[in-house]
Amino acid sequence: DAKTTQPPSMDCAEGRAANLPCNHSTISGNEYVYWYRQIHSQGPQYIIHGLKNNETNEMASLIITEDRKSSTLILPHATLRDTAVYYCIATSPGSARQLTFGSGTQLTVLP
Amino acid sequence: DVKVTQSSRYLVKRTGEKVFLECVQDMDHENMFWYRQDPGLGLRLIYFSYDVKMKEKGDIPEGYSVSREKKERFSLILESASTNQTSMYLCASSRYRGGYGYTFGSGTRLTVV
């Protein structure tokens, strides 16, 4: 798995877009970028993943730079319920090692 | 709604006891995992299984064993519980290998006294 680097914490105002960055400069060609989040006292929840194209689903958008060395998770209209630790993980599909969670970014959405 | 169910939310056991943590998923997933989560250390993979009766060691298997007799059930066993195994234990399952679409349970907070 490629090493990922995320800021330890971020704040965002409720209703505004939350942009969470992730650096994965050593990512290899077959590794995807996955995002999970963990709300306090719950298990992690899958959000989105991508290889090189931008992706969007009902939860979030994922923007991956052209060189694939970094990405940004966007929550378009953050709510208080989006307060959580967000994990960025780079790994190849079919990896026998499965997911390795780093320390993530604590996002706090402020009223 | 698809689910991963962990048998206990909170558990208190004594040092030296044999402890069983049970996890059941209803999604017919091939892959199942056990993690532990500790403050400052994040989630660490203990064991995983990609098929019935198959198991693979994760990053911190010492002091633990697992059992997967049926596809839907993956048990974590602490052979002789110790205080340093006090932690939050999280079970997960997935249909595919790699990082896509893991579903986690709500966790079992185990305290060993």
Side-chain angles (χ1 to χ4, degrees), chain B residues 88-106:
Chain B
M88 170 67 86
Y89 289 89
L90 289 157
C91 176
S93 73
S94 72
R95 186 174 305 283
Y96 309 104
R97 299 197 197 185
Y100 172 63
Y102 281 39
T103 301
F104 281 80
S106 297

Side-chain angles (χ1 to χ4, degrees), chain B residues 23-36:
Chain B
C23 176
V24 178
Q25 51 98 359
D26 64 0
M27 297 163 283
D28 200 35
H29 282 173
E30 306 291 333
N31 309 294
M32 296 188 74
F33 313 88
W34 276 105
Y35 291 84
R36 64 177 281 179

